[in-house]
Amino acid sequence: MAQERFWKELHELKFNIFFVQSLLLEAEKKERLIKIFIAVTSSASIGAWVIWKELAVFWGAIIAGSQVLSVIHPQLPYADRLKTFSLMLRDLEILFIDAEHKWQSVASGSMNIQKIDNDRMLLHKQKNEILNKYMPNSIFPDSPKIAHKAEQDAANYFSRYYPHGDS
């Protein structure tokens, strides 16, 4: 039972890693798209306005929209999320490496139940400290699609590296 609880904690940690990794990639993609949109619309619209003066209102609206986006861009969460998720991901991965190494002792039976429970509780505490450190006043964006993918990625990881049911 203690081994199974440790295994589940290890699995949840890997799930968290894949979840944060996917959120990071999504934030990077959105940040990049916003910057590309601002750059392209600002410069291309001015050139198009000069060429197609009969659509001046249309091009003016595009330029105004890109200027508004330029002003509100710093207030959007994506740049902050990039930094937060990157740092959190690094800390979670370091914790996972240590926990996976410890799993070898747990799985081999060389640790007593009390030691396994203590190590599992420590792992759980350290994981929560990392999450609270980087997300003290906010929560993860709700994304069932990303959660499902993270769960699949974690399952694939464990089936690849622990193919004989070392759980």
Side-chain angles (χ1 to χ4, degrees), residues 32-132:
R32 188 177 317 108
L33 287 174
I34 289 169
K35 287 181 177 178
I36 289 170
F37 178 80
I38 291 170
V40 169
T41 56
S42 293
S43 56
S45 296
I46 292 170
W49 189 349
V50 170
I51 295 171
W52 294 293
K53 291 182 182 184
E54 64 275 359
L55 297 174
V57 173
F58 174 73
W59 298 116
I62 290 176
I63 292 169
S66 70
Q67 292 304 308
V68 168
L69 188 56
S70 293
V71 171
I72 66 169
H73 177 255
Q75 304 308 314
L76 297 175
Y78 305 111
D80 289 339
R81 286 181 183 172
L82 288 174
K83 181 180 178 185
T84 298
F85 292 157
S86 294
L87 294 170
M88 183 189 308
L89 184 60
R90 184 199 66 211
D91 286 356
L92 288 172
E93 287 174 335
I94 290 168
L95 181 59
F96 182 79
I97 290 168
D98 292 341
E100 191 172 31
H101 178 72
K102 192 164 285 193
W103 170 250
Q104 302 309 315
S105 298
V106 171
S108 72
S110 64
M111 294 174 71
N112 66 42
I113 292 172
Q114 184 63 41
K115 175 73 171 137
I116 294 171
D117 279 339
N118 288 341
D119 285 351
R120 183 192 63 81
M121 286 303 296
L122 180 61
L123 174 60
H124 184 78
K125 181 181 175 201
Q126 290 172 321
K127 179 187 69 176
N128 284 333
E129 285 173 353
I130 291 169
L131 296 175
N132 289 329

Side-chain angles (χ1 to χ4, degrees), residues 16-33:
N16 289 139
I17 288 169
F18 283 123
F19 189 79
V20 171
Q21 192 174 52
S22 293
L23 289 175
L24 175 63
L25 293 173
E26 185 178 273
E28 285 175 341
K29 180 177 157 186
K30 288 178 181 176
E31 179 74 4
R32 188 177 317 108
L33 287 174

